[in-house]
């Protein structure tokens, strides 16, 4: 896995040489990383059935953006499509939401999960709307991910039967992930 470039160098006048190696390691590489930090904008392209009273990872079949400094990205449209897998350690900003088809019974919700475990303070649960879908915005959240950790947006509803997500236009479920900083 690639590493986040760190700049912990100290310079001593008359001792340290201003070499291309030092310039690359302590200036060029960190700047390239910060100008092209890992990010993904993912959308759900096929309706998904949500069983009543169950938290379900939301599948994301469309990538508007999935990129990082080495070009590999953290999302796949072939396997584990609900996941964004961190390739670089650090704090990541999360945002997104889901729309669930109309039904007047129960509640609707979404939450963040890291490696399948719910994130503390990362859920939103709302009453349904009687007509039209219920739009549930995910909380904007900052989470720490190690290399190989994955984050998912999960959805739920409690109507007593299965309900689908809506995938038309602005009502599509979406998930945005952006690397923010190294650990303190």
């Amino acid at each position: 896995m690639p590493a986040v470039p760190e700049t912990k160098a100290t310079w001593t006048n008359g001792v340290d040489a201003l070499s291309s190696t030092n310039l690359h390691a302590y200036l060029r590489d960190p700047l390239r990383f910060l100008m092209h930090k890992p990010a993904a904008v993912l959308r759900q392209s096929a309706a998904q059935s949500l069983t009543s009273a169950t938290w379900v990872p939301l599948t994301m079949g469309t990538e508007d953006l999935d990129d990082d400094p080495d070009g590999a990205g953290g999302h796949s449209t072939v396997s584990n499509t609900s996941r964004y897998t961190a390739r670089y350690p650090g704090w990541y900003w999360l945002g997104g939401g889901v729309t669930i088809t109309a039904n007047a019974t129960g509640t609707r919700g979404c939450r963040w999960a890291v490696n399948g475990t719910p994130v503390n303070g990362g859920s939103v649960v709302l009453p349904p709307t009687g007509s039209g879908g219920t739009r549930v915005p995910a909380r904007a959240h900052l989470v720490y991910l190690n290399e190989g950790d994955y984050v998912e947006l999960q959805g739920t509803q409690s109507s007593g039967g299965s309900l689908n997500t809506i995938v038309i236009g602005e009502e599509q479920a979406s998930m945005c992930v952006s690397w923010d900083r190294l650990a303190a």
Side-chain angles (χ1 to χ4, degrees):
M1 289 273 187
V4 177
E6 293 190 54
T7 57
K8 294 185 177 179
T10 56
W11 302 92
T12 304
N13 282 337
V15 176
D16 293 313
L18 187 59
S19 67
S20 62
T21 301
N22 286 343
L23 284 172
H24 290 174
Y26 300 120
L27 187 61
R28 183 201 65 185
D29 295 346
L31 285 174
R32 278 186 178 170
F33 184 87
L34 290 174
M35 296 300 292
H36 197 134
K37 59 188 181 177
V41 178
L42 314 171
R43 290 182 289 120
Q44 191 173 61
S45 51
Q48 182 177 356
S49 179
L50 302 180
T51 304
S52 185
T54 303
W55 287 97
V56 178
L58 299 173
T59 56
M60 302 290 168
T62 299
E63 298 174 346
D64 293 324
L65 171 70
D66 182 23
D67 205 6
D68 55 36
D70 67 1
H75 180 259
S76 171
T77 57
V78 178
S79 65
N80 296 319
T81 62
S82 63
R83 298 177 180 183
Y84 176 87
T85 302
R87 298 180 29 82
Y88 298 85
W91 288 93
Y92 285 78
W93 273 112
L94 309 176
V98 62
T99 303
I100 302 170
T101 55
N103 182 299
T105 305
T107 59
R108 310 293 176 265
C110 66
R111 72 180 181 191
W112 295 110
V114 172
N115 299 331
T117 302
V119 172
N120 290 335
S123 70
V124 174
V125 177
L126 300 172
T129 57
S131 62
T134 302
R135 294 179 182 183
V136 185
R139 287 187 182 186
H141 218 289
L142 189 62
V143 297
Y144 187 82
L145 300 175
N146 287 303
E147 282 182 32
D149 285 349
Y150 66 89
V151 64
E152 296 174 308
L153 181 62
Q154 299 177 338
T156 192
Q157 57 84 21
S158 63
S159 68
S162 293
L163 295 176
N164 287 340
T165 59
I166 296 176
V167 293
I168 299 170
E170 64 186 27
E171 294 186 341
Q172 287 177 310
S174 65
M175 179 170 135
C176 301
V177 182
S178 179
W179 188 92
D180 186 64
R181 60 177 290 150
L182 287 170

